[in-house]
Amino acid sequence: MMITSIKNPKRILITSPHNLGDFVAKIPFIRLLKQQSPATEIILLVREYIFPLVACIQEVDRVLDFECFFSRDEEVIIQDLKEMRVDTCIHILSINHSLGPDVIQLAKKANIPNRIGNVRKSHWVLFRKKNFGITHNLRSKRILPDLHEFEWNLLPLKFFGIKVDFEKVNFPRFLKTTLLSGEKNKYLKDEKFNLIVHAGSHGNAKEWPQKHFNKLLEELGGRFHIILTGSLEEKYRIPLHVANEKITDLRGSLSLRELISLISEADGLLAASTGPIHIASLFATHTLALFPKQKIMGPEVWAPKGENSDFIQSQLVCSSCQKKLTDFNRKLCQCMEGITVESVKKHIENWAAHENFV
């Protein structure tokens, strides 16, 4: 069926009730859309804690709290959607899981003419409702085989008549962001390579073993100033050897705004597949992401896309992962043992040599 393009949108509402990395994956889409229609106003509905990250993206005209907005009575939500006077609502989430309110249905009730999202249909379709507007159905599965998360987020561009060749999309250019802090971050040290080590992932990714992190921290030479970041829970869950003058432990002490500022000015970042690697993508900070072998959790879908971003993928798949990955099996998982300390250390030392830290 032929798809009717959305032409000259005046105001677009984009929902993103995600974590940090998922939101960063939407930034190239937002910028490509704004590039195509500079006069279009873009309104975002995101989780409140992501507001400091959204503030770095100039193409966003207005931001609202997703959870607060949709926690109210349906009548109030519909009335507010009407008062926004948006002509397009984009809500791309998996329909295979419970991820909050039925935004597309609410947008339909609010008479928003164009609705782009996942609807319970099995094919790529464009279908008309009896009462009002058009719902553009993307697909039932959020992550498609052979599509990186950043590419997946570009798929709605087809409904605006924008053809995308993934191989020609310059993701680093569409991610590049400048954060003007005005002064050197107080946690950074001159004459040292400032390396952020973010050991945890809040359970969103497979993490490198604690013993590997400790060995790496011991072996990195005097050229490095190591800054540990993460939550307070991770500080106690992943105890690291921090009784060292070259290590600054900031776990549990930084707001998101402060973390963004730190990442933007640091020289390098080491982490698993978690939000900070994608934040680093925005500022061309040297980034090394550590991934397991499994494709749905691996770099094929989640590798950072920014300039100076790289990854190491374990080639080990342990017996626990051959079974259903229950909480118990997750604790037994040894997949990340396949990434050696030596390989990570070599990568980081190459950064320092490239940046003339001798």
Side-chain angles (χ1 to χ4, degrees), residues 11 28 36 51 59 68 74 84 86 93-94 125 162 167 185 219 238 265 277-278 286 315:
R11 188 173 291 125
Q36 179 80 0
F51 281 17
E59 290 79 6
C68 180
E74 182 174 305
M84 285 183 186
V86 300
L93 290 172
S94 170
V125 295
I162 304 173
E167 294 183 359
N185 192 288
E219 292 188 2
I238 313 173
E265 297 186 59
I277 66 171
H278 300 293
H286 287 289
Q315 297 305 305

Side-chain angles (χ1 to χ4, degrees), residues 53-99:
L53 183 55
V54 177
C56 300
I57 311 304
Q58 296 180 347
E59 290 79 6
V60 176
D61 299 289
R62 185 181 172 195
V63 59
L64 299 169
D65 184 342
F66 180 95
E67 292 168 320
C68 180
F69 189 91
F70 287 107
S71 65
R72 303 169 301 165
D73 292 338
E74 182 174 305
E75 294 77 9
V76 179
I77 295 172
I78 293 172
Q79 183 59 35
D80 278 0
L81 287 173
K82 289 180 178 179
E83 291 178 0
M84 285 183 186
R85 299 184 182 277
V86 300
D87 47 52
T88 305
C89 175
I90 303 174
H91 182 71
I92 306 298
L93 290 172
S94 170
I95 63 171
N96 297 326
H97 304 281
S98 176
L99 289 171

